[in-house]
């Protein structure tokens, strides 16, 4: 018979037990649930709602349960007890007797689970920030290593202008910086304590919500509205959204790496330990980690949408629908955590094929804009310069030649202002060095940014 | 060392092994994988690619593995072997030696997994259809039982016109009929055999794809294009969409039941075995199954979106991203299956409070349209009739009276055509009987539809 | 004052008018709304609910309105009248007087809009099927043109085995075949007539739902349940899902084309008319159509999710939330229609660079599997053969050589069975011809499939 | 011929023009585009890249264009010119000649549109924050008005414990406070200037990015990485996620209001100006605004998913897919803005039916927890107390009585500790006053929170 079963005439149907239990996945909250219960029972004692002695027994019993769970002697969780909260309370009472039956005084599972989740997420988000920073540090290392490796920059997957490989890595570094910022904001916003909100209307007993909040280290104190406190899952949604945006970044790096590793580009090599082969084709070495990361982006988006959809249109306050928050949230956290770790390791094995990159960047079409800008410097309005160089390009395309294969005379037919100096513009190294603007791809700029990041990013080793 | 590891210099990184293994969830395909391998090796023997004897050894070994998996003696699957395919091939070779090493001839995991999935889904979809039909049968039973239970029908969650409770159940029955239709269409469309497509370009060996297809009972024969065969996950997406739409239906029933069970309506009771209580509030009896169903609708939508997003923009042919199809698909199937079953059981415990329903339907405002239609029958254009009855309603609202509390004289001030006959219209039972149009809520229509469904729906007992 | 305003004391707030009007987008239903009204009023006359004369006046008036809308003389729709239904009814009454006020007899906007939408979608889906077939016909033409153009086939965006370009186009052709099938199924399933369901409880007036259903050409007759009839938007969800899956296919073609058009591959050219340039870089020619298609896939997914989420957990029957179905649906239809058209045109401008493709396919690593299969034919178990060729590949990678640069002696050190015949396997043309299995990439197979499709696909010119 | 058309041999296909134009929706950026161009050309002059005189002409011309657009004399935008940027540049050149052709010097549409969007969003987000605060102020007013209106609080849509209506409004107020916080964080994070990043590699011309950034008032200066600057749409995704979460809150209020307005609850009235009627049923008064809000939540979720999906897996840097960001973003902003405004107005018309609410809260089952807590105060462990009261409730349910209809003797059979004092607990007003815990529903707490919010929320009148 369920702990709440006083008024019920029959036992819960087995299909329902299976459908509604959560202990198979919310057991990961055990530590935070116990932490909370200890703070709660200490508060009950302070307020005279349980005796000091009972509280001490509860605390000791809870500590023992925690140890048992961690050393494996706790045994199986019981799905008939539904969730981690009831499993712990029930076992506590079995182990210490009556004092355990007092633990749930002035508390509902509604405020309990909301508090557990926030405690859990505080820890997890801090870890995610550290992992994101750690991935940034790998990117900064790669940026420094590749600050002079010239390659084509792309728009529309078409060659645009030459850049250096290090500049790419710094672009990703910016992305994870925003992600870490979002994680911090999420962490800050959730740092309120729901405990004491009860089922949704607090209690007629004289509890002290400020005491428990402080014991549990919540920065902003207790939640200001008991109905909101148990109805609110914004923190889950915000974290799911933040992870989704960051996974989008992971998917973009992945796409670039997959392309660079194609035989068509052939620009990089990833370590054998981070690739896998084919059961049929002996020659294959596939960038599976990148592909999985890209695929798992969909999974993480799906989790966000699942949670948003679940919360939509729910009346206040707690509804059982909200139990669905946890599996989606845990799945996104686990997925994201694994990818941050593996990308850091994988990226550090990346080896560029500099020659192939430089060759690709040497197509003079990539310097067409340099030529237009040279004309601007020589007084031609940009729109006019653009149009004329476009015509030159068209001429080359039709006649199957490269821009630097035109003679000066040929060039001058379309661009009368052209001089011999123009012909020197078609060097990608020179081109990239000339883009020495703040935030630009010139090696000097890249090195400046590397210095900036070295001061920002914690070079954590996790 | 991985089975594909010939060309690799180092072992796979542990993080990658953990990230990329699928055997923890694709093990549920074991039976279909073995079925397929048996057909495949028989074909190899028929074509002279392996000896009859080797094929027999493979078949016997595979049957033995199947038994071992089912009786628990197989032991742990090995995540280093990545997936169910490699686990089975590897164990087979360990058990029967060299013939096992011939099993993967002219086959890739790409066509193998595509075939496994289709075989698996054929079985699952047939089961889902049976479960949907079975839920329909419960709804038809309820419709029959409640063909005369008058209650308010709603639009905008406002009382609209009286209906009977049985009519509601038949509305849901229609929904699951469309769902079963969609499941059938999905089943039919996936009934092609990818086996023999290899990694994406078939093979130089003389295989017989028609033989394996027939052995495996695929209705439409082998897939017509090897690249499509291994790239295609339409069947997964279509099934995920079909389940999503059907779960939307489940969520709508749930919403209605939750509302009907609120103290404000108080119209129905669900069996104690299908409700749960509160850890804090002793009086609570909550419709958790309905709430979970509603919440899990988000989950199932999320799975659909995850899979759609994962497939978007993938180049041909197989990419590792596609490994993400399975967990989402299995989760939706399991969720949907559980809910179809539990709803059938739960609905059969539903008890209506007829008096409360009838009282609610007796507000004469619900018969305002009957009055307008009476005027139409007496020659007033409908738009004019509507406007005048609207004014009557406004008058009642302002003066706090019900429509049937107006005297005939008062009514005639706004509706001169009104006669004593009008005052008889305010009976909900009469009103619902008067809506005796095909598809309408009159008990006679409901009974007709019940007869129709009794011929359509398999009264399966699962 | 609104047509429904009889009971209301104040006018609708302006913000609400703006928020809730739908005529700005549902005006596209005008033709089907008028068609329906004509059938409805004829039925009213047949049943004696309006006079024959009034019905004739309504029909003539509706025909006139249709003409006015189409020739532009109708003028502005009035947002105060909310939707297309009220705009037409109101104008009709203004133009023909009292008979117009009878049009809405025994009808609600709930069954009206459900009927309009189904009528509209019947037309649109037929057009979409024709467009999908038309795109298929372009793919078949391209397949025939390129049945011998050898190129690398990919898995994981890594070279796998040689195929022909025509085989790629047939893979896409399969995808759109399934899409057309799904469109047909959707069309068939929606072909029921909701008209006569009223607000949700039909009517007390003696209407004939079979008559209107037949007049409007609904294949399966009237909807069987009036509550379901006005609550059901499955047809919209199913179509949105079908379009989403098909747009996923469009996005995959796009991804392939973008890659093929990159300077790294350089395998194809798309017509200038289907590419655009850069405002800054004069040399750029970007595959914008492909990129837009890929981006719009997200849009179409979003529309599906919007509609699924909107419908989730709605109580029966009609709720105003459901008004949100139309914009999302129309947007997906318009987007999909435009892309089917433009892809057909664009694909016909595609020019392959055969030499570059063949060169890429000539890397002997792509024939590694042929070598393994040669060993199988010479008695080596496949798994063993795979492992040994893998070792050969590893040797090549370490020493920077290609497979065909090994001497026979070197090869025999790892693969003792190797003979001079092995060295002849490294020809991609021979390799692709050798994959002459049903559904395979050999030119003969591709031509067979082209013949198959020529019989299936309507070569429509739209 | 397009402005970028120098190298193109043929004109853009008409289908492509229609598919790829954005001026039909990005025209709303005109003001920010002009603002940016003015800052840009001033910088060009400062750096000697155009003459002071040319810059002045550009600035004056741009101001004139702005005025023309606003007073309607600009005329039609030209879809052949694709977007707002090209429309303005082209018109400027037509009006002022050669200086206009210099405007696009050292700029690409890639950095231009990124800058426009950030400028636009800075304004929009500030407005959204003000609107959210304004809605909060309405909620605070309602909380104050209804601080003593006792009603049932719910969990699982079942009566839980009595609360006051004002407490509900403060719960919503908390939600919008978090939303405003998220909007602020988004605003802060996007406040970097992309201008000068060019197509993705800055420029060889000596521009001053700090000057333009400062001119345009960007708080954090220029973007630090030119590739990221043009590839980044995080700000759009973050805003779409923030709006989605906030719309979820709107949907929850809506759900509560719809339920409260049902005939079953009958607790509130919304102003006629915020409800609409039925075309068929004269008595209907529907909470359409709430329903539309709930439905539009799906739309806003769809926009988020569309944008996330669109960005997933895009290679750096700009891809045309990203053009799809704007329509989805604008749609969410417009939808959210309209709903914040209309909810504020609508809520202020809300009238509670206090008697009906109090009656509903008077069911003694709602005070079952008070009784359990009374037992706790008298020494019974909570879990035991809960179980015994549960048994009392079961007894009542079986015998069809209310808790306060039991005699003390009957009560004592199950709860021996019960005294006459227990019978006084069944007063909902007393119960709600007794829950006088921080954040609780007691009127005193509600009034305290109202005072808190009065200091926080700007009482803006927009």
């Amino acid at each position: 018979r369920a702990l709440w079963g006083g008024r019920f005439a029959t036992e819960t149907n087995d299909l329902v037990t299976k459908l509604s239990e959560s202990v198979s996945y919310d057991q990961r909250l055990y530590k935070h649930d116990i932490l909370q219960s200890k703070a709660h029972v200490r508060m009950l004692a302070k307020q005279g709602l349980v005796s000091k002695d009972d509280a001490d027994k509860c605390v000791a019993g809870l500590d023992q349960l925690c140890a048992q769970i961690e050393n494996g002697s706790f045994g199986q969780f019981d799905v008939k007890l539904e969730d981690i909260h009831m499993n712990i309370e029930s076992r506590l009472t079995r182990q210490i007797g009556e004092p355990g039956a007092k633990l749930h005084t002035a508390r509902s599972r509604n405020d309990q689970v909301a508090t557990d989740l926030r405690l859990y997420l505080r820890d997890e988000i801090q870890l995610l920030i550290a992992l994101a920073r750690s991935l940034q540090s790998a990117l900064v290392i790669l940026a420094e290593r590749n600050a002079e490796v010239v390659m084509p920059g792309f728009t529309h997957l078409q060659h645009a202008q030459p850049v250096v490989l290090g500049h790419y890595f710094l672009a990703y570094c910016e992305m994870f910086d925003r992600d870490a910022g979002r994680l911090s904001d999420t962490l800050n916003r959730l740092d309120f304590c729901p405990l004491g909100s009860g089922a949704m209307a607090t209690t007629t007993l004289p509890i002290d919500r400020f005491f428990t909040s402080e014991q549990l280290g919540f920065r902003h104190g207790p939640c200001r509205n008991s109905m909101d406190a148990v109805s609110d899952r914004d923190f889950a949604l915000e974290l799911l959204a933040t992870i989704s945006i960051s996974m989008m970044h992971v998917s973009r790096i992945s796409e670039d790496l997959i392309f660079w590793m194609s035989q068509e580009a052939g620009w990089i090599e990833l370590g054998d330990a981070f690739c896998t082969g084919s059961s049929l084709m002996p020659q294959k070495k596939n960038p599976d980690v990148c592909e999985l990361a890209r695929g798992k982006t969909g999974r993480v988006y799906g989790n966000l949408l699942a949670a948003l959809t679940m919360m939509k249109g729910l009346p206040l306050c707690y509804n059982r629908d909200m139990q669905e928050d946890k599996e989606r949230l845990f799945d996104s956290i686990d997925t994201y955590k694994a990818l941050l770790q593996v990308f850091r390791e994988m990226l550090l094995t990346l080896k560029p094929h500099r020659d192939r990159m430089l060759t690709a960047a040497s197509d003079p079409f990539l310097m067409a804009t340099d030529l237009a800008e040279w004309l601007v410097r020589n007084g031609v309005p940009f729109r006019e310069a653009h149009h004329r160089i476009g015509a030159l390009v068209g001429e080359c395309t039709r006649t199957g030649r490269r821009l630097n294969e035109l003679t000066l005379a040929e060039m001058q037919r379309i661009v009368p202002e052209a001089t011999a100096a123009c012909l020197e513009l078609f060097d990608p190294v020179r081109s990239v060095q000339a883009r020495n603007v703040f935030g630009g791809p010139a090696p000097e700029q890249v090195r400046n940014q590397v210095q900036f990041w070295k001061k920002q990013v914690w070079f954590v080793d996790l």
Side-chain angles (χ1 to χ4, degrees), chain A:
Chain A
R1 180 60 63 89
L3 290 184
W4 40 257
R7 67 153 287 179
F8 282 75
T10 58
E11 286 222 11
T12 305
N13 176 284
D14 282 347
L15 292 170
V16 177
T17 300
K18 214 178 136 203
L19 187 75
S20 64
E21 68 85 20
S22 58
V23 72
S24 61
Y25 51 84
D26 68 13
Q27 58 184 257
R28 71 162 71 184
L29 299 175
Y30 77 93
K31 200 186 309 193
H32 301 95
D33 195 69
I34 285 171
L35 189 69
Q36 181 201 149
S37 285
K38 287 163 60 182
H40 182 65
V41 79
R42 281 192 183 111
M43 182 277 290
L44 292 177
K46 172 177 159 295
Q47 301 296 100
L49 290 163
V50 302
S51 69
K52 174 82 176 59
D53 189 49
D54 280 355
D56 288 347
K57 282 183 187 138
C58 282
V59 168
L62 288 162
D63 280 336
Q64 200 186 349
L65 287 183
C66 192
Q68 289 169 348
I69 292 170
E70 290 180 348
N71 68 25
S73 65
F74 185 94
Q76 288 291 99
F77 291 102
D78 182 355
V79 297
K80 293 233 170 221
L81 290 167
E82 298 186 344
D83 51 35
I84 185 66
H85 323 299
M86 286 303 206
N87 267 274
I88 286 176
E89 183 192 327
S90 169
R91 187 69 69 90
L92 180 69
T93 306
R94 217 160 79 201
Q95 294 195 357
I96 68 166
E98 197 185 284
K102 296 178 178 173
L103 179 64
H104 209 59
T105 306
R107 186 170 69 172
S108 161
R109 284 181 296 181
N110 295 357
D111 57 339
Q112 188 174 1
V113 69
T115 307
D116 281 3
L117 272 174
R118 290 182 192 228
L119 287 169
Y120 168 78
L121 290 178
R122 279 196 332 202
D123 286 355
E124 289 293 312
I125 295 174
Q126 283 172 42
L127 178 55
L128 293 177
I129 293 171
L131 287 168
R133 294 299 183 200
S134 178
L135 176 52
Q136 279 186 298
S137 71
L139 290 164
V140 172
I141 290 166
L142 285 167
E144 190 162 33
R145 277 190 204 156
N146 296 285
E148 317 228 353
V149 176
V150 174
M151 67 182 292
F154 287 80
T155 62
H156 307 256
L157 208 70
Q158 291 284 310
H159 286 178
Q161 297 174 303
V163 296
V164 294
L165 178 54
H167 200 48
Y168 256 105
F169 291 120
L170 290 179
Y172 308 139
C173 187
E174 294 285 341
M175 298 177 197
F176 291 105
D177 198 56
R178 289 190 295 274
D179 295 333
R182 269 182 286 269
L183 287 167
S184 282
D185 289 346
T186 305
L187 180 58
N188 178 55
R189 210 176 337 268
L190 71 74
D191 219 351
F192 284 89
C193 184
L195 192 58
S197 298
M200 52 107 227
T202 68
T203 177
T204 60
L205 298 171
I207 60 173
D208 182 347
R209 296 186 59 207
F210 289 91
F211 179 84
T212 39
S213 171
E214 201 180 356
Q215 287 269 310
L216 294 169
F218 282 101
R219 203 187 312 179
H220 307 304
C223 294
R224 288 180 298 245
N225 183 288
S226 62
M227 295 176 74
D228 177 57
V230 296
S231 303
D232 171 31
R233 289 297 182 274
D234 284 14
F235 50 85
L237 299 177
E238 190 174 343
L239 180 56
L240 285 166
T242 294
I243 292 177
S244 291
I245 295 173
S246 189
M247 280 294 296
M248 178 272 284
H249 296 149
V250 175
S251 79
R252 298 188 76 176
I253 301 180
S254 298
E255 183 83 7
D256 280 330
L257 294 174
I258 291 167
F259 177 62
W260 297 349
M261 234 184 96
S262 71
Q263 278 79 14
E264 276 55 50
W267 292 340
I268 61 160
E269 202 70 46
L270 293 175
D272 275 13
F274 293 89
C275 296
T276 66
S278 158
S279 70
L280 172 64
M281 298 171 288
Q283 88 281 10
K284 290 303 288 300
K285 178 179 166 185
N286 299 321
D288 292 85
V289 169
C290 298
E291 295 169 85
L292 285 166
R294 207 172 48 181
K296 283 175 190 295
T297 305
R299 173 189 196 113
V300 163
Y301 288 6
N303 290 340
L304 168 62
L305 271 307
L308 278 170
T309 304
M310 178 268 285
M311 291 299 292
K312 182 217 148 200
L314 287 187
L316 297 193
C317 300
Y318 183 82
N319 300 277
R320 192 68 180 268
D321 318 51
M322 291 160 67
Q323 177 168 316
E324 284 290 305
D325 59 351
K326 279 179 282 302
E327 276 180 288
R328 305 299 94 182
L329 188 57
F330 297 164
D331 186 70
S332 281
I333 291 172
D334 294 348
T335 302
Y336 183 45
K337 210 188 289 180
L339 286 167
L340 288 175
Q341 287 176 300
V342 76
F343 262 72
R344 181 184 189 280
E345 299 306 311
M346 180 180 71
L347 282 169
L348 293 170
T349 72
L350 181 151
K351 292 219 181 73
H353 295 306
R354 289 157 192 253
D355 289 352
R356 285 188 63 105
M357 283 180 164
L358 184 59
T359 303
S362 298
D363 179 345
F365 275 178
L366 281 87
M367 275 61 81
T369 308
D370 300 44
L371 185 53
E373 291 177 344
W374 184 91
L375 284 179
V376 165
R377 256 190 255 97
N378 288 275
V380 182
F382 176 74
R383 187 55 63 210
E384 173 64 22
H386 179 285
H387 199 76
R388 290 209 228 141
I389 310 302
L392 270 189
V393 168
E395 174 71 14
C396 287
T397 306
R398 272 183 299 281
T399 58
R401 287 187 296 175
R402 309 184 114 206
L403 260 184
N404 60 352
E405 291 165 9
L406 299 176
T407 64
L408 185 56
E410 284 175 314
M411 201 178 274
Q412 286 169 336
R413 270 208 296 277
I414 296 177
V415 185
E417 297 85 348
T419 69
C422 295
L423 302 178
E424 282 163 33
L425 296 171
F426 300 124
D427 171 9
V429 177
R430 181 196 159 123
S431 172
V432 86
Q433 282 167 345
R435 300 174 188 284
N436 198 6
V437 169
F438 178 82
E444 185 184 333
Q445 294 297 329
V446 171
R447 282 190 300 262
N448 287 348
Q449 290 297 326
V450 165
Q451 293 317 309
F452 168 80
W453 284 113
K454 283 191 171 173
K455 279 176 234 135
Q456 301 294 318
V457 173
W458 327 330
F459 279 78
V460 257
D461 205 13
L462 291 159

